[in-house]
Amino acid sequence: MATTRNPAHLVVKSGTSWAEAWQRCLRVAPEAFRDDRVLNLWGSSWQADGLALPATSPVDGSPVAGPPRLDGATARQAVRASLDQHRAWRHVPLAERRSRVAATLDALAAHRELLALLLVWEIGKPWRLALADVDRAIDEVRWYVDGIEPMVAGRSPLDGPVSNIASWNYPMSVLVHAMLVQALAGNAVVAKTPTDGGVACLTLACALAAREGIPLTLVSGSGGELSQALVRAPEIGCVSFVGGRDTGAAVATAVADLGKRHILEQEGLNTWGIWNHTDWDSLAAVIPKLFDYGKQRCTAYPRFVVQRSLFDAFLTAYLPAARTLRVGHPLAVEHPDDPYPELDFGPLINAAKAKELHDQVAEAIDRGAVPLHRGRVEDARFLPGQDTSAYVQPVTILNPPPSSPLHHAEPFGPVDSVVLVDTEAELLAAMNASNGALVATLSTDDRATYDRLAPQIRAFKVGHGAPRSRGDREELFGGFGASWRGAFVGGDLLVRAVTLGPAGERLPGNFPDYHLMP
């Protein structure tokens, strides 16, 4: 067990312990929480089935609720039951669907602080970011509730429920958001809780939705055990996946073989290029923001590709900004009634991921990478003696060797790499190292240079001197290369992806033939 050397006397903020959060869950949704475990939701009721595995919080290694993992046969029963829900729900009038989803949003808003606190303990989000995840889910779905009529005009629900498999990092603003919009569009919804965390938060959110009659199914289990039911089952009308490329590739193969509708968002190495650039103040201002949540998000920028002649100016802007980062226990305060601490990030999702990154950095340096910055554990905010094995201080290295995963893959943690280039061709090659990404940015003073180079960067969204985000409303979102498969989303396209339109309709996306037949 790793322990802190930070001598500061800190305590957990009053009323925010896991035990207190758990007791609040038992009071708010006793149908979904029982003693020391959560239940699965399928067949329109909460089921005390599955093997409840132990789990620990990345915050301090203490026990939290683990996922009640189902076997494949039970998951198949759950999917068949979801199809029965779907056949009934698709005929519910739109006005009633809107009313029920709106009531769900009101309930989520009433319990936003509890949902956020669960995110802090389960996936290590600082309070500010945990609240933002909850609020964004509520706000985004309200946008759909307010404007759903023209989005579904002339369209109908799918022939089967939508199956959702998502990563752990944004349970509310990605997964719950998608589930409620899918239900609003007339579909029953199936979701698997992420293996690494978020089960209690998702359970509470689904309990509030189920009370309003939203046809949700929430189950836990290993991807390998449940994939036959959640991906390949004939009852499933669409598969929505957010996660890594290895698992995503298997899902992509399955849906392609079966001809299922699909939305598959996968990782990519998002890059920030620096070429003929002089506005260093703007870059320095954005560096700390790029470390939000320890870069554990799909639109993080872990790679800077820098013109060699600008390297000294880049370091002058980058290093002081990186040294301002605030890391530590998301609930550690000097006095119990103090406000939540202002942190850029807390722990990674678990100690295994932290060790993986530590090992990758050490190996890269051993093979020739140059360390440019390493955060000090002494500067972090920790409780005396707490387990810190899931924490990684920010690290920046120069030129990771081609054999290192840090050269070509997304680290999904607070590790930046810098690559130096001399020509525009080298700049583009380095920015396209991972065969497709979700976002990228090019900082250059000359707009004509940006306009010429940006189309050659294999990222779906490319910013000019500013970061790009996923977005959910007005803007199309997808990916290039191995970072995305299937339908693109954003605004009304999220609804179109999970509804049937005219025969032969062309849905924006990167399908082999660029369309899906209804």
Side-chain angles (χ1 to χ4, degrees):
M1 179 179 95
T3 59
T4 178
R5 292 171 288 171
N6 189 326
H9 179 69
L10 299 174
V11 295
V12 173
K13 180 175 171 58
S14 177
T16 66
S17 70
W18 171 257
E20 289 167 302
W22 184 256
Q23 288 301 313
R24 290 169 65 184
C25 290
L26 291 173
R27 292 193 297 270
V28 171
E31 70 273 27
F33 297 85
R34 182 172 302 174
D35 297 328
D36 61 348
R37 63 169 292 174
V38 298
L39 308 184
N40 289 299
L41 172 62
W42 64 271
S44 301
S45 64
W46 291 94
Q47 313 275 356
D49 51 13
L51 177 63
L53 297 181
T56 58
S57 170
V59 170
D60 62 3
S62 60
V64 295
R69 300 178 66 153
L70 296 181
D71 57 27
T74 307
R76 286 284 291 118
Q77 293 181 48
V79 169
R80 284 193 291 267
S82 180
L83 178 61
D84 292 336
Q85 289 180 303
H86 182 82
R87 287 170 172 165
W89 179 253
R90 70 196 310 269
H91 297 295
V92 171
L94 177 59
E96 184 175 344
R97 299 201 305 264
R98 283 187 60 188
S99 177
R100 294 188 185 188
V101 173
T104 298
L105 298 178
D106 291 341
L108 294 174
H111 297 286
R112 64 188 284 268
E113 292 196 357
L114 176 55
L115 291 163
L117 184 58
L118 294 172
L119 291 182
V120 172
W121 281 109
E122 293 191 286
I123 62 175
K125 283 203 169 185
W127 179 252
R128 169 179 60 88
L129 299 178
L131 268 184
D133 192 20
V134 176
D135 290 343
R136 187 181 179 196
I138 296 168
D139 293 344
E140 294 289 346
V141 179
R142 283 200 195 280
W143 182 82
Y144 285 93
V145 169
D146 292 341
I148 188 63
E149 286 91 345
M151 298 184 198
V152 296
R155 310 187 67 80
S156 61
L158 299 176
D159 293 329
V162 183
S163 177
N164 294 267
I165 303 170
S167 57
W168 45 265
N169 53 342
Y170 286 91
M172 293 295 298
S173 62
V174 172
L175 184 51
V176 171
H177 164 263
M179 294 166 67
L180 292 178
V181 174
Q182 293 160 6
L184 180 64
N187 303 289
V189 178
V190 181
K192 185 180 90 66
T193 63
T195 302
D196 289 316
V199 62
C201 177
L202 286 168
T203 298
L204 178 57
C206 287
L208 299 175
R211 288 179 179 178
E212 304 300 335
I214 307 295
L216 304 182
T217 294
L218 183 69
V219 296
S220 295
S222 71
E225 181 78 11
L226 270 56
S227 63
Q228 191 69 27
L230 301 184
V231 176
R232 293 183 172 274
E235 294 89 346
I236 297 296
C238 177
V239 176
S240 177
F241 171 87
V242 179
R245 288 192 179 185
D246 290 343
T247 303
V251 175
T253 298
V255 294
D257 290 345
L258 298 169
K260 286 186 184 294
R261 287 192 173 222
H262 54 283
I263 307 160
L264 308 181
E265 178 186 332
Q266 299 165 94
E267 63 186 308
L269 183 61
N270 305 317
T271 59
W272 193 301
I274 311 286
W275 190 260
N276 293 340
H277 176 72
T278 60
D279 186 6
W280 300 109
D281 289 342
S282 294
L283 180 66
V286 81
I287 293 300
K289 299 175 185 176
L290 299 181
F291 277 90
D292 267 359
Y293 196 31
K295 302 207 172 192
Q296 296 178 105
R297 61 189 196 279
C298 66
T299 53
Y301 287 81
R303 165 69 49 81
F304 289 88
V305 182
V306 181
Q307 190 175 5
R308 191 181 304 272
S309 61
L310 299 179
F311 183 45
D312 57 339
F314 169 79
L315 287 183
T316 300
Y318 177 93
L319 290 177
R323 294 182 183 123
T324 68
L325 294 170
R326 301 157 299 178
V327 184
H329 189 304
L331 302 171
V333 293
E334 294 183 17
H335 303 286
D337 295 328
D338 280 354
Y340 289 91
E342 284 292 331
L343 300 174
D344 294 291
F345 61 93
L348 299 191
I349 185 59
N350 52 46
K353 178 62 181 180
K355 182 180 185 304
E356 174 188 290
L357 279 188
H358 282 305
D359 291 347
Q360 288 179 357
V361 169
E363 182 181 34
I365 293 172
D366 185 58
R367 294 183 180 181
V370 178
L372 299 176
H373 170 68
R374 297 182 185 180
R376 303 192 320 157
V377 68
E378 292 86 351
D379 297 329
R381 292 176 59 90
F382 292 130
L383 300 177
Q386 79 162 80
D387 184 342
T388 62
S389 56
Y391 291 78
V392 172
Q393 304 306 311
V395 178
T396 307
I397 61 174
L398 173 66
N399 289 336
S403 60
S404 169
L406 298 177
H407 177 78
H408 55 78
E410 180 182 23
F412 226 64
V415 178
D416 274 353
S417 59
V418 180
V419 173
L420 302 183
V421 295
D422 296 296
T423 67
E424 289 183 356
E426 291 176 340
L427 174 80
L428 292 170
M431 293 189 73
N432 293 330
S434 69
N435 183 28
L438 301 177
V439 297
T441 291
L442 178 60
S443 289
T444 181
D445 293 346
D446 181 36
R447 180 71 199 197
T449 298
Y450 173 82
D451 291 340
R452 178 168 48 82
L453 296 179
Q456 302 177 66
I457 299 172
R458 289 182 58 77
F460 193 76
K461 293 182 178 182
V462 181
H464 186 191
R468 299 305 309 271
S469 65
R470 189 181 192 277
D472 286 305
R473 293 184 180 178
E474 297 85 357
E475 195 173 34
L476 181 73
F477 191 63
F480 272 119
S483 69
W484 195 282
R485 290 288 184 270
F488 292 160
V489 295
D492 67 329
L493 293 182
L494 177 56
V495 173
R496 288 174 58 188
V498 295
T499 53
L500 301 176
E505 175 186 38
R506 296 168 65 88
L507 292 181
N510 52 20
F511 310 101
D513 56 356
Y514 194 61
H515 76 277
L516 278 177
M517 298 299 291

